[in-house]
Amino acid sequence: TSEELASTDYFGYRVDISGDYAIVSSRAKNNYKGEAYIFVRSGTSWSQQATFVASDYAVDSFFGESVSISGDYAVVGARQHKHANLGGNQEGAAYIFVRSGTSWSEQSKLTASDGAKGDRFGEAVAIDGDYAIIGAPYDGDNGNNSGTAYIFVRSGTSWSQQAKLTASDAAAGDIFGHGVSISGDYVIVSAPENDDVAGTYGWGNSGSAYIFVRSGTSWSQ
């Protein structure tokens, strides 16, 4: 555990592990500004190596809503980060951190090219190698809360948006992007409130998941 915990911090809200490194979030730390912690293994012992906070730390950002780690890189989502130029209400952001020796530093802040109020970009994040995927499940491009996911790629020390993913049958209320994962040339995105299978009353959140594959710089379902 972190040495700085308080009773309402939600330490362990999200976790991930890669090799000898683990990341643990505490999204409610300091009035929901949020923090994340890196732990490293030496033999059979684990110790805290770093504490992450956003470069633009703000109350109610929910930094640590989601976390992922791959090798020397980690990504942390802040689903309620406010962008003043977009109206300042849960647009969301994600932050890339990189390790050099025993030190970690923020390398990039990711936002959607078409981010809007209430999208909650950063509700889900995943990283693998030079690629990261960020979910924005309350994006409304295909109906209210239909959802979107974004692919980012690293070149040197810079990260840029490569693709915007939506479901082939996107519909209002699906919250596509609520869960994401990436491995090599493949990503999977969940839409837990997709209604393909009707429930007892003729509706229901049966849910779906979608696989996308990369070819060059393009991603397809």
Side-chain angles (χ1 to χ4, degrees):
T1 61
S2 166
E3 297 176 357
E4 305 169 350
L5 286 181
S7 61
T8 57
D9 284 353
Y10 277 68
F11 178 85
Y13 186 77
R14 291 288 184 264
V15 299
D16 197 24
I17 194 167
S18 175
D20 293 334
Y21 294 86
I23 184 169
V24 181
S25 79
S26 180
R27 72 166 191 169
K29 184 77 174 181
N30 294 330
N31 293 319
Y32 288 92
K33 290 180 179 178
E35 294 184 357
Y37 308 90
I38 295 289
F39 292 83
V40 61
R41 183 180 68 86
S42 177
T44 59
S45 299
W46 291 80
S47 58
Q48 186 178 322
Q49 185 177 75
T51 299
F52 292 166
V53 295
S55 54
D56 51 358
Y57 210 36
V59 170
D60 290 331
S61 290
F62 282 62
F63 177 89
E65 176 67 24
S66 54
V67 297
S68 182
I69 187 169
S70 175
D72 295 334
Y73 292 86
V75 58
V76 181
R79 74 171 195 192
Q80 293 191 190
H81 177 79
K82 299 173 178 63
H83 302 265
N85 61 323
L86 296 177
N89 185 22
Q90 299 184 16
E91 294 87 2
Y95 302 80
I96 300 286
F97 294 83
V98 61
R99 183 177 67 87
S100 176
T102 59
S103 298
W104 293 79
S105 58
E106 185 182 316
Q107 184 176 74
S108 186
K109 176 185 176 181
L110 308 182
T111 57
S113 58
D114 59 350
K117 291 173 62 175
D119 283 357
R120 294 189 184 180
F121 175 95
E123 175 118 346
V125 301
I127 190 168
D128 183 54
D130 295 333
Y131 292 86
I133 181 170
I134 315 296
Y138 296 92
D139 173 88
D141 283 3
N142 294 288
N144 192 39
N145 300 340
S146 53
T148 302
Y150 298 83
I151 299 287
F152 291 81
V153 62
R154 183 178 66 86
S155 177
T157 59
S158 298
W159 291 80
S160 59
Q161 185 180 312
Q162 184 178 76
K164 176 180 178 178
L165 309 181
T166 57
S168 56
D169 59 349
D174 284 355
I175 58 171
F176 174 94
H178 181 74
V180 298
S181 187
I182 184 169
S183 179
D185 295 333
Y186 293 87
V187 299
I188 186 168
V189 182
S190 75
E193 296 190 14
N194 176 274
D195 299 332
D196 284 356
V197 180
T200 303
Y201 301 103
W203 58 271
N205 300 328
S206 54
S208 297
Y210 301 80
I211 300 282
F212 294 80
V213 61
R214 184 177 67 86
S215 177
T217 58
S218 299
W219 293 80
S220 58
Q221 186 178 312

